[in-house]
Amino acid sequence: MLIQACLNGSTTRAEHPAVPLTPAELAAEARASAAAGAESVHLHPRDPSGAQTLIPDHVLAAVAAVRAASGLPAGVTTGIWTVDGDTARRMSLVERWTGQHRPDFASINVNEPGTDALADLLTSLGIEIEAGVWTVEDARLLGASSFGGRVIRVLLEPVDRSPDGAVATAAEASAELTRLGIGAPQLHHGYGVATWDVMRAAVAKGQDIRVGLEDTTVLPDGSVATGNGELVAAAGQLARGA
């Protein structure tokens, strides 16, 4: 069972003081996550102001730091919000993710515009694809896409913050992926208070899971985590049934 660490996402320092923003901070949190049992790392590169960015200099620096510190495959977001909805700008930035420090993989939210072209570009660069699926409708979008057969993972990520609703949405989307014949490994995660319920349900089905300060700042008992390493360690205990 794969445990992926999601180091920062859109979480702010106001929400948790240990959220990593700079390459050095991302490296430290990636190292702690690897020591706790993470096997891959997902991150949202930030610019000097702390804003999420796809600008190559920032992306490549973040990936290089994380990979060097942790020894793990490092992936990044391609979220359309990072370019204010401008698909052409996203393509122009991603096409410069080249060289030895390009990401190992990148996530594509299938409900965003321009995903087929973005997937083709990533493939041409040698960057593997994770598909972000939030709902049953998203599962169908992936099935109708040009890249559903070449993703390394499907991220089942219900945005519902209610535990019961999130678990149900993930289960429905997972079943739809199976019905559509999309056989890539599924990685399940939630947000906020639903995080641990979604992962617990996934573990029961033998699915991969993800955790980190992007998704939640608290441990299963509700106490605030010190950082990504403690969250990953708790996910490991969950996976082992401890």
Side-chain angles (χ1 to χ4, degrees), residues 158 160-169 191-198 200-201:
D160 192 333
R161 299 301 176 109
S162 73
D164 290 346
V167 169
T169 297
Y191 292 101
V193 297
T195 297
W196 298 100
D197 294 85
V198 171
R200 196 171 290 111

Side-chain angles (χ1 to χ4, degrees), residues 103-153:
D104 295 290
F105 56 91
S107 59
I108 296 177
N109 296 317
V110 300
N111 56 14
E112 294 180 355
T115 55
D116 282 347
L118 177 60
D120 289 344
L121 174 58
L122 290 169
T123 297
S124 74
L125 296 170
I127 299 171
E128 295 187 290
I129 301 164
E130 292 182 323
V133 167
W134 301 356
T135 63
V136 171
E137 290 74 19
D138 287 355
R140 294 171 185 146
L141 286 174
L142 182 59
S145 75
S146 66
F147 60 93
R150 53 188 159 99
V151 299
I152 58 167
R153 278 183 291 276

Side-chain angles (χ1 to χ4, degrees), residues 86-228:
D86 187 337
T87 57
R89 175 165 168 74
R90 176 165 66 177
M91 293 288 284
S92 72
L93 294 173
V94 172
E95 70 182 4
R96 291 186 280 133
W97 292 358
T98 58
Q100 63 177 326
H101 300 312
R102 71 182 184 274
D104 295 290
F105 56 91
S107 59
I108 296 177
N109 296 317
V110 300
N111 56 14
E112 294 180 355
T115 55
D116 282 347
L118 177 60
D120 289 344
L121 174 58
L122 290 169
T123 297
S124 74
L125 296 170
I127 299 171
E128 295 187 290
I129 301 164
E130 292 182 323
V133 167
W134 301 356
T135 63
V136 171
E137 290 74 19
D138 287 355
R140 294 171 185 146
L141 286 174
L142 182 59
S145 75
S146 66
F147 60 93
R150 53 188 159 99
V151 299
I152 58 167
R153 278 183 291 276
V154 180
L155 306 180
L156 269 295
E157 40 190 351
V159 295
D160 192 333
R161 299 301 176 109
S162 73
D164 290 346
V167 169
T169 297
E172 291 164 6
S174 176
E176 185 66 6
L177 290 169
T178 299
R179 188 188 72 79
L180 292 168
I182 297 174
Q186 296 180 13
L187 184 154
H188 291 231
H189 70 98
Y191 292 101
V193 297
T195 297
W196 298 100
D197 294 85
V198 171
M199 287 197 293
R200 196 171 290 111
V203 166
K205 296 177 181 178
Q207 304 284 10
D208 296 336
I209 54 176
R210 182 185 101 167
V211 73
L213 290 175
E214 174 174 352
D215 294 348
T216 186
T217 60
V218 299
L219 297 165
D221 65 2
S223 63
V224 176
T226 57
N228 286 290

Side-chain angles (χ1 to χ4, degrees), residues 3-5 7 26-41 66-72 227-237 240:
I3 300 176
Q4 184 180 85
L7 301 181
L26 287 162
E29 287 293 294
R31 186 182 300 111
S33 298
E39 296 173 76
S40 76
V41 177
V66 163
R67 193 185 286 137
S70 68
L72 298 178
N228 286 290
E230 191 172 19
L231 290 167
V232 171
Q237 291 180 335
R240 293 188 297 272

